[in-house]
Amino acid sequence: MNLPNKLTVFRIILIPVFILLLTVPYAWSNISFLGVTMAVNWLIAAVVFAIASATDFLDGQIARSQHLVTNFGKFADPLADKLLVMTALIFLTSFNVVPAWMTAVIVIRELAVTGLRTLIVENNGKVLAAQMPGKIKTFSQMFAIFFLYIRNAPFSIINFPIGNVLLWVAVIFTIYSGIDYFWQNRNVFSDGM
């Protein structure tokens, strides 16, 4: 297994760690310092999410620059991204930080595009590479999630709602990139329409 694939597997392994940080009560998860209650588990979860997100950037850069693109990487890399983002958003929704409709829009788009990619591979074997709107979508989703976890920890020093702003950007680009992806691949449906 090459380095990019190891990074992808590492990202997948971090997802259960992220989940455990947000679900299992720890004695240290809420501590008080100078009269301020700190949700340490939220901070650590944000750091774990940031590390996992960074591996997404790294594995792609290494795979392309060193010509280490594999079928496993083509399959597992986008899957790992979707699992990470959807898990983080579902938890944010359960904590009443992100509206359920925003999470639903992102999840629906990801599932629809995954289904479309499957059809494309079955028809001609060529999956369209990620376009700029899709890259902006992923970037804004990951940064929004990170800042939402940081900002919603009770000890946060970040007062500007950058996570909320980025989440709106993410939702807009989620919708736009999904429509764009379907439009560019509309010929896949030509036999049944």
Side-chain angles (χ1 to χ4, degrees):
M1 184 173 283
N2 63 36
L3 180 58
N5 289 344
K6 287 178 183 176
L7 288 170
T8 299
V9 170
F10 178 64
R11 182 160 69 257
I12 293 169
I13 291 169
L14 286 178
I15 295 169
V17 173
F18 179 79
I19 292 170
L20 287 172
L21 284 166
L22 296 171
T23 56
V24 176
Y26 298 98
W28 49 263
S29 65
N30 287 305
I31 61 172
S32 292
F33 180 71
L34 299 176
V36 177
T37 301
M38 300 185 210
V40 177
N41 57 330
W42 273 65
L43 176 61
I44 296 171
V47 171
V48 168
F49 183 85
I51 291 168
S53 298
T55 65
D56 177 39
F57 174 76
L58 285 174
D59 66 10
Q61 290 294 328
I62 294 168
R64 286 185 294 277
S65 68
Q66 297 183 9
H67 306 289
L68 298 173
V69 177
T70 64
N71 284 336
F72 175 81
K74 288 178 188 177
F75 165 76
D77 181 60
L79 178 64
D81 298 343
K82 288 169 180 40
L83 292 174
L84 179 65
V85 167
M86 286 189 224
T87 299
L89 284 172
I90 289 167
F91 273 96
L92 285 169
T93 300
S94 73
F95 295 134
N96 296 316
V97 175
V98 171
W101 73 265
M102 287 182 153
T103 298
V105 165
I106 291 170
V107 169
I108 290 166
R109 183 269 187 207
E110 298 301 348
L111 293 174
V113 168
T114 299
L116 178 59
R117 286 183 177 193
T118 303
L119 282 175
I120 293 168
V121 169
E122 287 178 5
N123 283 341
N124 61 18
K126 294 181 183 178
V127 176
L128 188 65
Q131 302 295 316
M132 189 53 69
K135 291 178 181 181
I136 294 170
K137 178 238 359 150
T138 301
F139 179 84
S140 59
Q141 282 177 351
M142 289 183 170
F143 270 89
I145 289 166
F146 173 76
F147 282 111
L148 286 167
Y149 275 97
I150 291 292
R151 184 168 191 269
N152 287 283
F155 61 91
S156 180
I157 58 171
I158 300 173
N159 291 322
F160 182 73
I162 190 167
N164 298 77
V165 172
L166 287 171
L167 185 61
W168 275 100
V169 172
V171 168
I172 291 165
F173 275 94
T174 294
I175 295 167
Y176 176 77
S177 65
I179 292 169
D180 183 56
Y181 200 83
F182 271 84
W183 179 254
Q184 289 189 38
N185 293 285
R186 62 192 179 278
N187 59 329
V188 171
F189 302 106
S190 60
D191 64 338
M193 294 185 91

